[in-house]
Amino acid sequence: MPQVFIKTYGCQMNERDSEAVAAQLMARGHTLVADESAADVVLLNTCSVRDLAEQKALGKMSAVAGVARKQGRQPVLGFLGCMAQSRGQELAHGSVRLVVGTQKFHRIGEHLDALLQGRESHIVDTAEEAGSQSTIREHLIDPAGPRAVTAFVSIMQGCNQHCTFCIVPATRGAERSRPIPEIVDEVRDLVGRGVREVTLLGQIVTSYGRRDYPVRDGRSAFVQLLEAVHEVDGLERIRLTSPHPKGYGDDLIDAFGRLPKLVEHAHLPLQSGSDRILRQMHRGYTRDRYLGIVERLRKRHPDMAVTTDIIVGFPGETEEDFEQTVSLCHEAAFDQAYVFKYSQRRDTPAAAMPDQLSEAAIEERHARLLTRVNEIASRKYAERVGRTVEILAEGPSRRNPSRFEGRTRDNRIVIFEGDERHRGHLLRVQIETASAFTLYGIPELAGVSDVEESGSSDAPSLS
Ligand code: SAH
Ligand code: F3S
């Protein structure tokens, strides 16, 4: 049976797509391998949002092809996902024989069969497919392996916002949502397999179902979905990514707190703090409106974590525009901010705008802003020391496998002395110390049963 290596570049949506592809291939009898050097099939699922991601994937593929050539092997090499969608045919040359776009992940198994059996030499499949939003469904959960505590659930595909810098509407297509019952069934199935926390995924989740489910009692389709998922017994936490600020209407802000499983974390991609640049970006909000949302969220819950994405060096960004972004970061006191250097993307309106900044200018602003936002964020971590927080224990710490890690409701990693008995349980942890982006704590033994509601048979006996 073919041995398949899959590597993912990019966001959680890409990770989720790769997981569904891996599950599909395993169901067909393929084996997943962790090392590409002996694989029969090497698939790179690639991001297009910034040039750097594309260059990394292209570099990796040529390295893989070079090694295979030296070994005298001819594995099937393929690109999947956003870069495959935007570049299509131009990628399918030499040893790259498979190019599969964002609406065709579920066809990869049959395409690989055709290639491996020699029925086809190259396949490029980047067409649109009606209903493809419902094909990212299968999960890789090994019933014999350690319990899967968290899972990602794709609720929609595409984006209609057309921010002028962004390639996603071109690579992912127009907004298409899955029906609520289908999503709820998937969540229920995951919970039945041990999952306690789901992250609802889409390019613009706050626009979920706009055309399919009319506003009901002042509640948007997305809030209706949150309510339906919230009903799933045994589910403890709901996260979402990625929303758009324009989606934070009163109904969604009210849902924080009203729906106890919806965690106190709002990702609110800002992109710029300058109204002039926001208009050029076609973001659909002003600086004031944005700050108003942050204020209402924090009023709803004082500890609401607000995180963001920012682009520095958008065409025409002046020092004044940039200073507006810096000052907004101070006002909003972001719990975490991802700062990106503007990257020109093909066929986007921003790529054709005048006054593109030099790389050096972008680098310099990027470094300056990063220092500021990291200072603000690490202060917020330090504020947690001495508090008792609820965490969901996920598994061995990625940094230090001899310890365990979990996350707070507001999405901070907490490392603690733990073991497999803790996995999948809610614990109360006293925070002892903080580093820039990690908390360290001690579980409160008596607190375990207070927050533990699952009644599962493998509950830790910590008394
Ligand atoms: N809602 C989407 C956002 C797209 S990409 C999602 O999460 O799928 C994530 C982030 O990448 C954006 O919020 C933006 O900050 C950044 N980004 C998008 N296009 C970019 C570009 N051309 N250059 C630099 N950063 C970009
Ligand atoms: Fe991209 Fe803007 Fe949509 S950043 S994914 S076009 S909301």
Side-chain angles (χ1 to χ4, degrees):
M1 272 299 164
Q3 302 209 322
V4 184
F5 173 82
I6 306 180
K7 185 169 168 66
T8 310
Y9 296 82
C11 61
Q12 286 153 326
M13 272 140 281
N14 293 12
E15 295 284 353
R16 175 72 195 100
D17 296 339
S18 293
E19 184 193 14
V21 170
Q24 175 200 152
L25 297 181
M26 282 183 72
R28 296 172 83 96
H30 298 42
T31 315
L32 291 181
V33 292
D35 171 15
E36 73 269 21
S37 60
D40 306 299
V41 177
V42 175
L43 302 175
L44 303 186
N45 185 10
T46 59
C47 176
S48 274
V49 164
R50 283 168 294 278
D51 189 52
L52 192 65
E54 293 204 349
Q55 295 312 324
K56 268 194 207 158
L58 291 166
K60 174 78 180 176
M61 193 61 102
S62 70
V64 170
V67 170
R69 208 165 31 241
K70 271 197 207 130
Q71 295 171 331
R73 297 186 321 109
Q74 292 188 314
V76 172
L77 306 184
F79 283 112
L80 323 175
C82 285
M83 184 173 76
Q85 186 70 41
S86 76
R87 297 193 180 207
Q89 191 68 46
E90 74 180 73
L91 292 172
H93 61 80
S95 45
V96 176
R97 290 158 60 198
L98 180 65
V99 178
V100 176
T102 54
Q103 305 200 21
K104 296 289 187 177
F105 289 112
H106 57 295
R107 304 266 178 225
I108 289 172
E110 44 193 279
H111 289 333
L112 281 180
D113 285 352
L115 292 166
L116 290 163
Q117 292 160 13
R119 283 183 278 123
E120 302 273 357
S121 68
H122 288 76
I123 296 177
V124 177
D125 191 359
T126 55
E128 291 182 9
E129 185 172 320
S132 62
Q133 69 272 26
S134 289
T135 60
I136 303 300
R137 220 174 28 212
E138 306 307 328
H139 292 260
L140 259 193
I141 297 182
D142 177 2
R147 176 182 188 172
V149 179
T150 62
F152 291 94
V153 174
S154 172
I155 63 168
M156 68 179 306
Q157 290 287 332
C159 182
N160 293 358
Q161 178 67 26
H162 294 282
C163 300
T164 54
F165 53 81
C166 184
I167 201 171
V168 168
T171 58
R172 292 277 175 174
E175 289 167 15
R176 290 109 54 216
S177 298
R178 297 173 67 190
I180 291 179
E182 202 178 288
I183 297 167
V184 170
D185 280 351
E186 185 172 326
V187 172
R188 195 174 290 121
D189 175 64
L190 286 166
V191 170
R193 293 154 82 184
V195 166
R196 309 295 293 279
E197 172 186 301
V198 292
T199 303
L200 305 180
L201 278 185
Q203 278 78 34
I204 181 159
V205 288
T206 39
S207 293
Y208 168 85
R210 284 194 291 170
R211 273 159 232 84
D212 312 311
Y213 299 97
V215 174
R216 221 183 45 210
D217 303 329
R219 289 169 196 173
S220 62
F222 182 57
V223 171
Q224 292 172 41
L225 171 69
L226 288 175
E227 289 174 349
V229 170
H230 195 269
E231 291 289 301
V232 174
D233 281 340
L235 179 69
E236 298 287 357
R237 290 175 167 189
I238 304 172
R239 297 185 185 278
L240 42 110
T241 197
S242 194
H244 187 284
K246 71 177 183 181
Y248 283 82
D250 289 340
D251 61 334
L252 180 54
I253 291 179
D254 169 69
F256 288 98
R258 182 169 64 82
L259 302 178
K261 295 177 187 178
L262 183 61
V263 296
E264 292 76 49
H265 172 209
H267 188 62
L268 216 52
L270 166 67
Q271 315 303 358
S272 169
S274 151
D275 283 341
R276 200 178 68 80
I277 297 292
L278 285 170
R279 232 177 2 255
Q280 300 274 314
M281 288 177 159
H282 192 241
R283 287 295 290 174
Y285 51 84
T286 59
R287 171 191 178 90
D288 273 358
R289 169 127 182 261
Y290 183 94
L291 282 168
I293 298 167
V294 175
E295 193 184 317
R296 281 188 294 148
L297 283 165
R298 293 231 169 96
K299 207 180 263 170
R300 189 84 183 122
H301 204 289
D303 277 334
M304 178 74 80
V306 180
T307 58
T308 199
D309 293 346
I310 298 170
I311 297 177
V312 292
F314 185 81
E317 183 189 77
T318 62
E319 184 62 26
E320 269 165 26
D321 293 317
F322 176 71
E323 282 303 330
Q324 292 273 302
T325 302
V326 176
S327 74
L328 194 151
C329 289
H330 284 280
E331 283 183 55
F334 291 118
D335 292 84
Q336 185 142 10
Y338 300 92
V339 183
F340 301 109
K341 296 175 209 161
Y342 170 71
S343 170
Q344 260 183 42
R345 307 316 294 136
R346 64 163 72 180
D347 300 331
T348 56
M353 288 181 185
D355 304 323
Q356 303 278 333
L357 273 71
S358 71
E359 244 175 73
I362 296 178
E363 289 276 352
E364 190 274 327
R365 284 185 191 161
H366 178 262
R368 239 190 310 156
L369 185 60
L370 204 59
T371 309
R372 306 290 279 275
V373 296
N374 286 348
E375 274 166 17
I376 300 169
S378 57
R379 209 177 308 138
K380 294 222 149 173
Y381 273 76
E383 279 170 15
R384 263 61 188 176
V385 173
R387 292 197 201 174
T388 301
V389 297
E390 177 202 282
I391 69 161
L392 176 60
E394 293 182 9
S397 158
R398 269 153 277 203
R399 262 161 271 183
N400 179 354
S402 69
R403 295 207 266 169
F404 243 53
E405 73 179 27
R407 267 177 309 152
T408 60
R409 286 174 63 91
D410 63 358
N411 208 30
R412 293 169 210 274
I413 301 228
V414 178
I415 298 185
F416 63 100
E417 297 292 338
D419 56 46
E420 286 299 329
R421 293 173 310 158
H422 295 99
R423 189 193 286 267
H425 291 277
L426 293 170
L427 311 172
R428 291 187 68 78
V429 172
Q430 164 101 31
I431 301 303
E432 298 274 291
T433 55
S435 66
F437 294 106
T438 311
L439 302 174
Y440 299 83
I442 299 178
E444 259 184 12
L445 301 190
V448 173
S449 52
D450 294 347
V451 284
E452 180 56 53
E453 291 162 7
S454 73
S456 64
S457 53
D458 57 345
S461 54
L462 292 169
S463 49

